[in-house]
Amino acid sequence: MFDAPGAMHGTGNALTGPATAAAGHGDRHDEAAGMTVPYVVAACTAIALANLVGWLTQTRALISIAPGLPAMVPATTLLALLAAAGLWLRWRWPAWRGGEVLAASVIVASAAIMACHLGGAAPAPFRFADGGMESYATLSSSLTASIFFMLGLALLLSMGGRHTMLGQCIALAVLLLALLNLSGYLFRGTFLFRILPGRGTSILTSTELILLAAGTVFLRPRAGLMAAVTGDLPAARISRRLLVAAFVIPVVTAGGAVLAARYGLYDAGTALPLFVWTMIVLFLVIVWRFALRLLAVDVARSHAERELQGALRELRAEHDRKDVFLATLAHELRNPLAPISAAAEVLRHGGGQDAAERERIGTIVATQAANLVSLVNDLLDVERVNSGRIALDKHVLDLREAITGALEQVRPLLARKRHDCQVEAPTAPVYVCGDLKRLVQVVVNLLNNAAKYTPPGGTLLVTVTTGERSVALTVEDNGIGIAADLLGRVFEPYAQAELTPDRAEGGLGLGLSLVKRLTELHGGSVAASSAGAGQGSRFTVTLPLMTVVGQRG
């Protein structure tokens, strides 16, 4: 009999129709799948209309391709048009129920045709094909009606939300059955031809079924089976290529084997083993290739997971350091505020009557205010350096000036702790290109650090050593030293809060971090060394040496 145009499983709107694509939902693969639907509908409609024209004009090529082959009768053509219309409506207007009504109509009409075949009688004016002599009133064959019944069911299920995967599975079954029917035309005179094409499913009908089944599968690309092959994830890309290979390779290989046997390149008995061997080779190559790609994806994912875990550990450590820093900041702000508050209370209750008392109170307030200013300046400097907003006023200068300026600033701390600070520097100028204010800040921070962590009465040594192209400024002390496991972290921001359980001398742990950043801005480097706890420490700043002295600016 005649085969109906292809299970109109309304490929469901791959993106819920153009509306979804226009709204930007889904990626480019979803969009491509969704845009398959209108092309499928257009192709099916063109085949169906051409078939109807063929019946009107009795053009055999439009009815059955060639004389003697099963024809696609108008009843099958109408089933195909109903399925195509339902597919289009569901894709174009996903919220409207018209597509589901047409899909149900395909089911009812094909079921009625099947019932006629089971009952052995066709209602007038319809009739069954008689000896292969079809007419415009001939009903579709039982096989064609059965496949269209499956197609209508697949289309209806794919339009819903809960049974999309089942509908797609049925649509794939229809597609594969139609492909098998189409391939049966290559083996005329065989059992395959007798059981499928020979039972009345035409080439045109098989083509329609293939198109409509594919449209049904693509109708909802983000749901059911299609969810595994759409999108830009590596697994989806690999799945798409494998599916294409699974369809194309057997068809091309089988067609080539049949044609080669038909043209006498080898006997028919050789065709089957040669086909099997070719399939094995091709699929081995494909599977191995994609296995290597999956391996690369797994390696990349493992590497990304390790990097993510490392980043998470760093984030947790940074979070912990910030917590400690905030606690330390509160402590450091309270230290100077307490004496200032006490001095204010003394003045409020009539203290400071004589000059000596007023001078002592003023000294306390000035000293603690200076500590507050120092804390705030350190915070501001760190923020400026980290954001790249710090500007250096560079010019050629004598590094010994920076040392002298730094010693003036730290002299009160050295005197209070009774430290002996010695300087060993060349008698000749040591010229570098830098910002004098920032270089003084570098040396001050190094001296403050050494003084704070050296017990009273300790010794500090500042040395300047010139090389061929660089100069090294070293600040060495005989203080508490640095443990080996902490040595590599002394230049991290807020590190001091973790490194020093004794907070007597205070500090936010920003000084050495500023030393490192400011030194790097001058094109230099800084390093720390210590023989261990209780063995003192040494910090060395290395800067480029100016070999040609320019005009001071």
Side-chain angles (χ1 to χ4, degrees):
M1 301 244 97
F2 341 107
D3 315 4
M8 321 173 107
H9 307 251
T11 276
N13 71 28
L15 292 160
T16 20
T20 309
H25 300 308
D27 58 21
R28 56 193 175 91
H29 299 292
D30 296 335
E31 220 173 299
M35 290 309 298
T36 301
V37 175
Y39 293 113
V40 164
V41 171
C44 290
T45 303
I47 293 173
L49 294 177
N51 179 257
L52 293 177
V53 171
W55 282 104
L56 291 173
T57 61
Q58 290 299 305
T59 305
R60 197 65 193 178
L62 299 178
I63 296 174
S64 62
I65 302 299
L69 297 181
M72 186 169 83
V73 297
T76 300
T77 304
L78 292 176
L79 288 175
L81 286 172
L82 283 174
L87 187 60
W88 166 259
L89 290 178
R90 183 63 177 81
W91 179 82
R92 187 65 182 84
W93 294 286
W96 192 40
R97 313 282 298 188
E100 297 178 11
V101 172
L102 291 177
S105 300
V106 173
I107 296 174
V108 172
S110 56
I113 295 174
M114 291 165 59
C116 291
H117 282 284
L118 289 174
F126 298 103
R127 65 183 182 84
F128 298 128
D130 184 12
M133 299 300 294
E134 303 94 349
S135 69
Y136 68 89
T138 302
L139 288 178
S140 305
S141 68
S142 58
L143 177 62
T144 298
S146 300
I147 300 177
F148 265 103
F149 181 85
M150 294 172 59
L151 179 61
L153 182 61
L155 184 55
L156 187 62
L157 292 174
S158 297
M159 290 178 181
R162 291 180 296 177
H163 306 292
T164 299
M165 181 176 290
L166 177 59
Q168 290 171 342
C169 289
I170 297 174
L172 282 175
V174 170
L175 190 150
L176 294 173
L177 185 59
L179 278 174
L180 185 62
N181 184 81
L182 202 59
S183 63
Y185 283 94
L186 298 174
F187 302 93
R188 299 186 66 179
T190 66
F191 176 75
L192 179 62
F193 181 83
R194 290 194 299 273
I195 198 173
L196 289 176
R199 295 182 63 185
T201 302
S202 69
I203 293 176
L204 293 174
T205 299
S206 297
T207 303
E208 290 272 38
L209 287 169
I210 290 170
L211 290 171
L212 290 168
T216 302
V217 171
F218 289 126
L219 185 59
R220 302 187 65 189
R222 284 186 171 270
L225 297 175
M226 291 299 294
V229 295
T230 55
D232 281 324
L233 292 176
R237 291 196 295 269
I238 291 174
S239 299
R240 285 193 294 272
R241 295 186 180 112
L242 282 175
L243 285 175
V244 171
F247 274 99
V248 172
I249 288 178
V251 172
V252 173
T253 305
V258 170
L259 289 175
R262 184 168 294 175
Y263 285 102
L265 297 181
Y266 46 74
D267 58 273
T270 308
L272 180 59
L274 186 60
F275 169 74
V276 173
W277 180 84
T278 304
M279 291 293 294
I280 291 173
V281 171
L282 291 176
F283 274 104
L284 274 177
V285 171
I286 290 172
V287 170
W288 214 303
R289 179 188 177 196
F290 283 108
L292 291 174
R293 290 194 175 186
L294 284 174
L295 176 63
V297 170
D298 287 340
V299 170
R301 181 167 53 244
S302 299
H303 180 67
E305 287 176 355
R306 287 195 298 270
E307 288 187 337
L308 177 61
Q309 292 302 319
L312 288 175
R313 286 193 297 271
E314 283 295 320
L315 187 61
R316 292 191 196 101
E318 182 68 17
H319 183 269
D320 293 341
R321 286 195 293 269
K322 290 293 180 67
D323 285 345
V324 174
F325 166 72
L326 290 174
T328 304
L329 177 61
H331 176 79
E332 295 302 327
L333 290 174
R334 187 176 58 194
N335 279 346
L337 288 174
I340 293 175
S341 181
E345 282 295 312
V346 170
L347 293 175
R348 191 165 67 88
H349 289 89
Q353 296 298 321
D354 56 74
E357 182 69 10
R358 287 195 299 273
E359 183 179 357
R360 187 180 71 83
I361 293 174
T363 300
I364 291 173
V365 173
T367 301
Q368 299 307 323
N371 289 338
L372 283 174
V373 170
S374 177
L375 288 173
V376 172
N377 285 339
D378 280 351
L379 288 170
L380 292 175
D381 284 340
V382 167
E383 191 277 331
R384 291 191 192 103
V385 170
N386 289 337
S387 62
R389 294 191 297 107
I390 192 166
L392 298 182
D393 180 19
K394 286 187 176 182
H395 57 267
V396 177
L397 57 89
D398 186 353
L399 184 59
R400 298 178 304 172
E401 294 181 22
I403 298 173
T404 301
L407 287 172
E408 287 295 325
Q409 292 189 30
V410 300
R411 182 166 285 113
L413 175 60
L414 296 177
R416 180 162 55 85
K417 298 201 68 174
R418 304 188 309 279
H419 288 325
D420 178 23
C421 184
Q422 302 175 10
V423 178
E424 295 180 1
T427 56
V430 180
Y431 290 116
V432 295
C433 182
D435 185 326
L436 179 60
K437 175 184 175 182
R438 295 302 179 182
L439 289 177
V440 168
Q441 187 177 2
V442 167
V443 181
V444 165
N445 283 337
L446 290 177
L447 289 172
N448 275 334
N449 183 75
K452 288 176 182 177
Y453 300 107
T454 300
T459 300
L460 278 60
L461 177 62
V462 181
T463 60
V464 178
T465 306
T466 58
E468 187 175 342
R469 295 184 177 179
S470 62
V471 54
L473 186 153
T474 301
V475 176
E476 187 176 358
D477 62 69
N478 60 350
I480 64 175
I482 305 171
D485 59 331
L486 300 177
L487 193 58
R489 296 165 47 206
V490 293
F491 294 109
E492 294 179 4
Y494 324 121
Q496 184 184 11
E498 294 178 294
L499 298 179
T500 58
D502 178 11
R503 304 300 301 163
E505 289 300 334
L508 294 176
L510 298 176
L512 293 180
S513 173
L514 277 172
V515 167
K516 182 175 186 295
R517 300 300 297 273
L518 290 174
T519 301
E520 291 172 346
L521 289 174
H522 282 83
S525 61
V526 61
S529 61
S530 175
Q535 302 296 313
S537 57
R538 172 185 298 196
F539 291 86
T540 302
V541 172
T542 303
L543 296 170
L545 183 65
M546 294 296 294
T547 55
V548 178
V549 179
Q551 183 68 31
R552 297 281 302 275

